[in-house]
Amino acid sequence: MKRFFVLLTLIIALSNSTLIAQQTYEWKYYGLEVTVPNDFKVVKNTNEEFEMKGQGMGMYMFIFEGDITAEDMDEAVAEAALGMDMQEVDAAHVIQGDGLDGFYVEGFKDGVRVMLAGMIDPKSQTNFMMLITFYDEDEVAESDAIDIINSVTSTK
């Protein structure tokens, strides 16, 4: 019986570690790293766009030009959300990332949940937006999306 519980504990520990396994990718042109779940694969990595897809989720980053400060980023994210006709957009949340300043909002677009983040790298003055899509009521995807947003760091 004791052996059974040890085996069961080991199986649970291994299955949980594979569920939360992550990998880090770099948008090389801008020196930005992002940590995503293991099932994500790079679709595009150019000097203009960085796109990844995972099971039931997508992540897209793009540079936007403009002289904007970190304090104005919440307004820029809200304007971008309205510009892409997102529905049920909530108030901007501060990004808890390491070294980057920004905000994100949550909403819906064409029946899909969307998190839209705007960030600035104060060291390089690089402004970029990140768009994460996933199915509504997927609590794991929602948690993963917040983790992805907060994982972005600058390597410069």
Side-chain angles (χ1 to χ4, degrees):
M1 189 68 151
K2 183 177 177 184
R3 204 177 258 173
F4 171 76
F5 285 115
V6 170
L7 183 59
L8 182 61
T9 303
L10 183 60
I11 290 170
I12 290 170
L14 289 174
S15 66
N16 284 342
S17 68
T18 58
L19 289 176
I20 59 171
Q22 299 176 336
Q23 55 190 341
T24 300
Y25 286 94
E26 183 179 8
W27 189 3
K28 292 181 181 177
Y29 194 81
Y30 295 100
L32 296 170
E33 287 186 342
V34 60
T35 301
V36 296
N38 257 352
D39 65 331
F40 271 62
K41 303 291 181 229
V42 174
V43 175
K44 191 179 287 188
N45 188 353
T46 70
N47 63 342
E48 296 172 1
E49 304 169 294
F50 184 73
E51 183 177 4
M52 300 184 79
K53 293 202 185 276
Q55 185 176 3
M57 291 184 77
M59 192 253 338
Y60 177 69
M61 294 169 61
F62 61 95
I63 297 298
F64 72 95
E65 301 297 326
D67 188 21
I68 189 167
T69 65
E71 293 78 28
D72 297 328
M73 188 61 76
D74 60 337
E75 208 170 291
V77 171
E79 286 177 20
L82 291 173
M84 61 184 281
D85 295 326
M86 280 177 61
Q87 299 135 355
E88 298 181 41
V89 177
D90 66 357
H93 306 275
V94 174
I95 292 175
Q96 305 291 321
D98 184 23
L100 300 177
D101 297 320
F103 294 88
Y104 73 92
V105 296
E106 298 179 53
F108 292 87
K109 173 77 175 160
D110 300 326
V112 176
R113 284 281 300 277
V114 175
M115 287 189 175
L116 176 65
M119 293 182 233
I120 184 169
D121 179 357
K123 291 183 243 170
S124 67
Q125 295 299 308
T126 302
N127 302 323
F128 63 97
M129 291 278 182
M130 172 187 274
L131 185 72
I132 300 176
T133 59
F134 55 95
Y135 297 111
D136 192 23
E137 298 182 25
D138 184 343
E139 292 177 15
V140 172
E142 181 176 7
S143 176
D144 285 348
I146 293 169
D147 289 345
I148 291 168
I149 290 169
N150 289 325
S151 79
V152 180
T153 59
S154 174
T155 61
K156 292 184 177 184

